[in-house]
Amino acid sequence: LTAAQTRRLVSGTAGLIAVTVLWPGVTRGAFVAGGPDPYGYVSQASLWLTGIPRMALPQVGVLPDGVPLEALVPLGYRLGTNGASLVPAYSPGFPMQMALMERLGPQDSMFFVLPVLAAVAVWATYLLGTMLAGRAAGMIAALFLATSPAFDIQLTHMPMSDIPAMAWWTVALVLLPRSSRISALLAGAAVGAAILTRPNLAPLTLVLGAFLVWDVTANRVARAVAIQRVLLFGIGSVSACLTVAYLNNYWYGSPLASGYEPLADLYGRDYFWPNVTDYMRRLLDSQGPLVFVAAAGPAFLWRNRANRRDTVGQRSILVACTAFAIGVYLCYAFYVPLDTWWTLRFLFPAFPVAFVFLGVALLNLPASLPAPARWLSVLVLVGTTVAHAVAFGHANAVSDSTPERRYATAGRYIAQRMPERAVFFSMLHAGSARYYSGRLTVRYDLIPPQLIERTIVHFQQQGFVPFLLLDDGERGHFVDRFTGATSLAALDWQPVATLDGVAIYDVTAK
């Protein structure tokens, strides 16, 4: 093959990988407002279609003393500062993008945002690798991302903001080194979208901004253009920060507040070492032992660039990407540890850079071998890494989103079969049942155990018919919470419906 043919082959393969990612996202994706996070994003997207999201608190009379108003607030929302409204708990960027897609496309087109941005992330990873180390490294990195179990489970199981945040940050990294003014403006817009999607990662803007500022000091010939690039970059990133501050003040009463718990409850020095071991173990389990070879990638790139006598500007983008990946980790190094392997999703913005470094390392490790043996070794190393990831993904059913659809199944059943004045005591389904059926839901986990029966009586007096709506996964929690406080804890009567692991109990039939 000629050099031009090789370039076309590699680029075409990378494009095929990106398109291949789009297909399972569209055909296998759980396009439902299921679970706390997906419900929070999908319902917020629907609210953005009519204005800045805010919902009135359900009018159910004065709750019994000791029962907080938060019991009327489903997961994904929180009580507004006025005490009479519900406001989103999750960041606005992803729902805004979903709302825009819904406005421009047919019904439920909002769900296509995730697979489209997943494909963008894979293609941008290829471009990033090509920029840093050549097309082969870019294609290998794109393949690693497309087959990553953490990536695939997010792609098919739940509409959440992790993949969109990765896509926007990677697009910004790709645009950053280009010398034109428009590239700086677009990079700033991509960073703005990333900040709106995940505001806690806003400090990463300093890494990209520092690269542009360094370009001002190093570029003596076209310093005026370099300064303009800094200013153009700031338009999108600063605008996003101001938008987040405005919405935080509107929803939570302060520009520096958020919909999550107080920072002191989410971050702590004691979390650092547990996170180090947890993330390393999860990377090892899901990606295989070769993933840690990525740590050698920057050294190989620096050596190769030094041998080629690359310019300071070319080496500075390597420094910026390395600092960016480290910065992503530091944003979560002190975050409260979580117990699921796919919490690797927090590190998604660093995945493209890390996989590029991994590709570089695997290409350079057998560099001393003769050409045929070298490329055979690379194929074996890459194939082993991909095979491990695919096997782990298969073992953990990353492409089977069937269980997630139970939220929509239960919600639609309620809409069709249950009384208009039904009230459902639930936790996991408190948001999805309300979204699909319009029925009232109450968070049982926020009701003091000794007040559960009084609360049920209160809703009966308000004209509601009470039901329990329990997922198989939360039955044990319900039983443990209310044993000794009410006979309902036994769950020893026949449910009126059992739907894909979701049970509906008529409280009046007990």
Side-chain angles (χ1 to χ4, degrees), residues 142-498:
L143 180 61
F144 287 158
L145 179 59
T147 57
S148 171
F151 178 85
D152 290 338
I153 197 171
Q154 288 291 300
L155 173 64
T156 58
H157 276 60
M158 50 200 83
M160 292 172 62
S161 64
D162 306 279
I163 288 176
M166 170 173 53
W168 291 119
W169 280 115
T170 310
V171 167
L173 287 173
V174 169
L175 291 169
L176 196 65
R178 300 175 185 271
S179 58
S180 68
R181 298 176 183 86
I182 188 65
S183 66
L185 179 64
L186 293 176
V191 167
I195 291 172
L196 287 169
T197 303
R198 276 293 177 86
N200 66 305
L201 297 180
L204 297 174
T205 309
L206 298 176
V207 176
L208 279 67
F211 171 83
L212 292 174
V213 172
W214 172 258
D215 190 46
V216 171
T217 62
N219 197 335
R220 301 180 184 277
V221 177
R223 181 167 293 177
V225 174
I227 293 173
Q228 292 169 19
R229 280 169 45 78
V230 173
L231 297 176
L232 290 169
F233 174 81
I235 293 174
S237 52
V238 172
S239 297
C241 290
L242 293 176
T243 300
V244 170
Y246 172 80
L247 291 174
N248 286 345
N249 187 69
Y250 179 75
W251 285 334
Y252 317 125
S254 169
L256 300 179
S258 78
Y260 294 90
E261 300 174 31
L263 292 181
D265 296 335
L266 293 176
Y267 292 88
R269 288 179 297 178
D270 294 340
Y271 300 150
F272 180 79
W273 287 114
N275 277 328
V276 169
T277 57
D278 285 350
Y279 284 130
M280 290 184 67
R281 185 183 70 253
R282 290 163 187 168
L283 282 170
L284 176 64
D285 290 344
S286 62
Q287 300 293 157
L290 286 175
V291 71
F292 296 115
V293 179
F300 281 121
L301 281 172
W302 189 269
R303 183 198 65 185
N304 295 343
R305 289 180 181 279
N307 291 341
R308 294 198 306 266
R309 297 181 180 179
D310 284 349
T311 66
V312 173
Q314 290 171 316
R315 291 195 294 271
S316 64
I317 187 61
L318 170 60
V319 173
C321 287
T322 305
F324 177 85
I326 294 172
V328 172
Y329 179 75
L330 290 178
C331 285
Y332 290 102
F334 300 94
Y335 191 74
V336 58
L338 300 176
D339 60 358
T340 53
W341 68 267
W342 43 270
T343 51
L344 287 171
R345 65 190 178 88
F346 292 146
L347 306 183
F348 273 4
F351 268 38
V353 175
F355 285 144
V356 169
F357 290 163
L358 177 57
V360 168
L362 297 184
L363 285 168
N364 280 269
L365 284 176
S368 61
L369 298 176
R374 181 172 69 248
W375 286 109
L376 179 60
S377 299
V378 170
L379 287 174
V380 170
L381 292 172
V382 172
T384 299
T385 303
V386 171
H388 181 100
V390 171
F392 182 90
H394 181 73
N396 288 272
V398 298
S399 295
D400 182 12
S401 62
T402 303
E404 298 301 314
R405 295 170 186 168
R406 70 190 187 278
Y407 293 98
T409 300
R412 289 165 179 155
Y413 177 89
I414 291 170
Q416 296 170 4
R417 303 289 186 86
M418 307 305 288
E420 289 286 341
R421 293 284 290 177
V423 57
F424 294 88
F425 290 81
S426 185
M427 182 177 66
L428 286 177
H429 293 260
S432 55
R434 191 179 295 193
Y435 179 82
Y436 286 106
S437 71
R439 306 301 196 273
L440 179 64
T441 58
V442 179
R443 291 269 302 277
Y444 73 74
D445 58 307
L446 297 181
I447 300 174
Q450 70 275 14
L451 296 178
I452 184 65
E453 292 194 353
R454 285 182 56 190
T455 305
I456 290 171
V457 170
H458 167 79
F459 281 97
Q460 287 177 310
Q461 292 173 343
Q462 297 293 318
F464 290 95
V465 182
F467 294 87
L468 300 179
L469 175 61
L470 300 177
D471 196 274
D472 279 352
E474 62 183 337
R475 286 173 59 90
H477 177 262
F478 182 87
V479 171
D480 292 343
R481 181 174 179 81
F482 293 107
T483 295
T486 174
S487 61
L488 297 175
L491 298 177
D492 55 358
W493 74 104
Q494 187 69 25
V496 296
T498 303

